[in-house]
Each structure stands twice: as structure tokens, then as C-alpha cells.
Amino acid sequence: AAAKRATSLWPSGPHPKAGKAPHKYTITANLRIRRAYHASLILPFCYDNPYPANQLMPEKPYDHIAIELKWHERWQDADFYKAEENSSKPKFYVLEMLPYPSGTLHIGHIRNYSIGDALARYKWMRGFNVLHPMGWDASALPAENAAIANKVPPRQWTMQNIAAMKKTHRRFAFSYDWDREISTCEPEYYRWNQWFFLRMLERGLAYRKRALLNWCSKCATVLANEQVVEGCCWRHEDTPVEQRALDQW
């Protein structure tokens, strides 16, 4: 009955331009409009639609905190993101820059790690055995300088920042294998740096030489070329970087 009523309400008959056949695209467009119109009349009478035509479906607020925390708890100890030790799948290694734990994560970090996370997930879905670790570039003067500025022992300052950063990482549910977490200030990590260095020294591959380096007086340390922005330190934009002749390995 509803379909009959809908059909009777739509004008039918010859094309408005008498004597001319309608263009095929006009016919297609008219059919689409007619179907949509019929559906709009029939839908309110369907048993599957409990709302009258003039009443909108009631809105339900999206409680993102409750919903995300629910799944966050499920994912906390899951093993979705662990690389398989013995697998026939093609291997793929994703590593973003490890953060300096001299403060807390900011939006620049989130942007950087979101890109790596998207890549790792894409490769997993493509059938790769993905290794995606995370760690902390903690063995550096920036962390030490931050600790001095905040009048906190360097290890205490570094460890509490690592804990805060890790909490943020996990809240964002990035796809890291936390079983492979490293921290460059721990002996378990830097002992291997020392081992490699000694092997190179024994073979004459490591040597000491005096050379010009980028120096920031506020950081009291050298900078890579990428850390010099328009002649100033990337952390202290008002501090010109100078060239100093220093001994280096």
C-alpha cells in the first residue's frame, strides 16, 4: 500500500519537452531521484524503523574516556605486537628516534611515533613479522643539564621522566613490543657500546683527533649539524652556536 501511494504521488508520463526523447543521463538521474523519493515515503512505515519521519534518532554521547580505557586495559598485557623469534614470514624492522627523557612527551613526539605506529601496523596487516621496539636515549648531557636545572639527582630525574613518558606511550596504545625496551643509561645496554668501542680500538679503527665542533654554551655540549637551526641551538633559539676545536674519538 505504501509503495502504491508513493508511486501515485510521483508524476509520470511523457517527457516535459514534447517531441524530444529524453537523454539517457536524464533518464538515469530521474530514476535515482524517483527511487530515493519512494524510499523516503516507504521508510517511515517499515517495522524496522521505530521513529516517525519527523522524529530524529536520539543522540547518544560518545564517552571516549570510558570506552578507550576499557580497551586500554585489554591491550595492556596483550602480545599482539611481539615479533616472532622463529617465523617464515618476511621480516620488517621499525624504529623511531628514541626520546630524550629530559622532560615529558609533547605533540611533536606524538606525531613522530604515530607515523611509525601506522607503518608497523600496515606491515603486520601485509603479513610481515614486525620488530617494533621502544627505548630511551638517556645517556646524554641534555638529561643531565635538565636534572641540574631542576635540582634533582640525574638518575632520579631520568627515571621519573621515563616512567611518565612510558605511561603516555601506553595510553596512546602504540604498537611496541615492551619486552624489548632499552635504556641507554643502564649498564646492561652501554656495556655493549663499550665492548664494540674496545674492539674497534684494538683494530685501529677508533682514534682520537682534534677537530671543529658545534658548541652550545647553554647546553654545555656539542651539537650535530641537524641541531643547529639558523645558526642557533635547537633548544635555545637565542643562543648562537660557536665552532670549537675539541678532542674527539
Side-chain angles (χ1 to χ4, degrees), residues 74-99:
R74 290 281 297 274
W75 295 337
Q76 275 284 68
D77 301 315
D79 58 356
F80 308 134
Y81 308 126
K82 293 183 180 180
E84 300 173 28
E85 293 289 345
N86 300 299
S87 173
S88 59
K89 298 176 184 176
K91 297 177 182 178
F92 196 82
Y93 181 43
V94 181
L95 178 66
E96 301 99 55
M97 177 190 74
L98 304 183

Side-chain angles (χ1 to χ4, degrees), residues 23 70 97-98 102 108 135 149 161 186 191 214 218 229 232:
H23 193 277
K70 168 191 170 182
M97 177 190 74
L98 304 183
S102 51
N161 286 334
E186 298 292 356
R191 68 185 291 266
N214 301 316
K218 280 192 178 179
V229 181
C232 294

Side-chain angles (χ1 to χ4, degrees), residues 177-204:
D177 181 352
W178 286 106
D179 288 347
R180 298 175 184 269
E181 178 184 5
I182 61 166
S183 181
T184 62
C185 65
E186 298 292 356
E188 292 80 8
Y189 177 86
Y190 65 71
R191 68 185 291 266
W192 294 107
N193 283 14
Q194 295 171 339
W195 186 88
F196 278 117
F197 177 78
L198 290 174
R199 300 294 82 75
M200 290 190 291
L201 187 64
E202 291 168 2
R203 289 161 175 74

Side-chain angles (χ1 to χ4, degrees), residues 24-89:
K24 62 178 180 179
Y25 296 122
T26 305
I27 296 173
T28 304
N30 285 341
L31 285 173
R32 287 175 180 167
I33 294 170
R34 182 174 292 191
R35 287 170 185 160
Y37 181 70
H38 289 174
S40 69
L41 292 171
I42 295 170
L43 185 61
F45 299 96
C46 294
Y47 291 107
D48 294 334
N49 181 25
Y51 305 106
N54 61 348
Q55 181 181 339
L56 297 175
M57 183 182 296
E59 293 186 1
K60 182 181 179 182
Y62 172 62
D63 188 347
H64 66 279
I65 295 178
I67 293 173
E68 289 177 10
L69 285 177
K70 168 191 170 182
W71 291 105
H72 176 69
E73 292 300 319
R74 290 281 297 274
W75 295 337
Q76 275 284 68
D77 301 315
D79 58 356
F80 308 134
Y81 308 126
K82 293 183 180 180
E84 300 173 28
E85 293 289 345
N86 300 299
S87 173
S88 59
K89 298 176 184 176

